Amino acid sequence: MAKRKLQKYAELASFKNVIQPGWEELENGFYLKGKWAKGYFNNEHPVILELGCGKGEYTVNLAKQFPLKNFIGIDKKGARLWKGSGQALDTGLQNAVFIRANAESLPLLFGKGELSEIWLTFPDPQPKRKQEKKRLTNPSFLKLYKQVLKKDGIIHLKTDNIPLFDYTLEKIKEEGYHLIDFKRDLYSAPPEWAVSAIKTHYELRFLDKGSKIAYLKFRLRH
């Protein structure tokens, strides 16, 4: 297993659609910060982020369906990025790129208002009270997102974890954010395409077990 992981890391380093910036590089002013659309994608299309992208199912599939938008998948684990970035290369996707980094790096990677949307697809619910600060919908993370999202930018959350769903609803209300849509059982009503048609590796496992998938869509007010 360790040998296979090392092989993936080596291959990842050679993938032209994977960026693995070091901390010093980020702190000294990352060269693509504020310039992703023109500097990397060579266009002026909206830039959309999948944070904690795992194997990159949303990044890859959204990029296929929306060629006039740019998609970035971020995950801190290279072994996960290997699959999505490899698929994007194999299919010749020009509007998808992957970054190996953590969520705390967002203000160093992106300029103010650079992102149009953020997708949080099945993030770790961090269920214990002492883990609250690690939840990706914790107010501290929402403040980070506010720095890089456009004023009308949208955040999507898909989860099988109802306590995380309820926690996020509560924070949206407390912070005065704009709740656009929410469903406790996503597949009980016809949802919009991108929410229902793309299913991640983990989502398929949850559905096989009979779990319900919850969905939230909201805006951060500036």
Side-chain angles (χ1 to χ4, degrees), residues 56-208:
E57 291 99 330
Y58 260 83
T59 301
V60 170
N61 284 289
L62 286 173
K64 288 178 180 178
Q65 293 296 325
F66 301 99
L68 296 182
K69 294 182 179 180
N70 303 314
F71 295 91
I72 299 174
I74 288 184
D75 204 283
K76 62 183 179 181
K77 295 191 176 180
R80 293 176 183 169
L81 291 176
W82 174 83
K83 183 170 184 179
S85 55
Q87 287 179 341
L89 284 176
D90 291 343
T91 53
L93 283 177
Q94 299 298 310
N95 62 329
V97 65
F98 294 84
I99 307 172
R100 187 178 180 187
N102 57 38
E104 290 82 0
S105 302
L106 292 187
L108 301 176
L109 287 163
F110 303 104
K112 185 177 180 180
E114 187 165 19
L115 300 177
S116 295
E117 299 177 39
I118 294 176
W119 284 83
L120 306 174
T121 50
F122 299 93
D124 188 333
Q126 306 288 351
K128 297 179 181 178
R129 183 177 290 276
K130 65 181 181 180
Q131 297 175 313
E132 180 182 352
K133 65 181 181 180
K134 295 182 180 180
R135 296 172 192 164
L136 290 184
T137 55
N138 178 278
S140 61
F141 278 113
L142 296 178
K143 288 176 183 176
L144 284 184
Y145 308 154
K146 188 182 285 191
Q147 293 180 48
V148 297
L149 272 172
K150 296 180 181 299
K151 282 192 174 183
D152 60 349
I154 292 172
I155 296 177
H156 306 264
L157 169 69
K158 282 183 79 174
T159 180
D160 70 309
N161 189 278
I162 297 303
L164 177 63
F165 175 83
D166 288 337
Y167 170 84
T168 306
L169 272 178
E170 179 184 331
K171 296 307 169 187
I172 291 171
K173 183 177 180 180
E174 286 179 0
E175 301 294 327
Y177 297 143
H178 177 208
L179 180 62
I180 301 170
D181 191 14
F182 72 100
K183 293 180 174 69
R184 287 184 176 276
D185 184 0
L186 177 60
Y187 297 104
S188 66
E192 52 186 289
W193 180 90
V195 180
S196 63
I198 302 173
K199 295 182 177 66
T200 71
H201 169 76
Y202 291 108
E203 182 173 3
L204 290 171
R205 286 171 56 183
F206 298 144
L207 289 170
D208 283 344

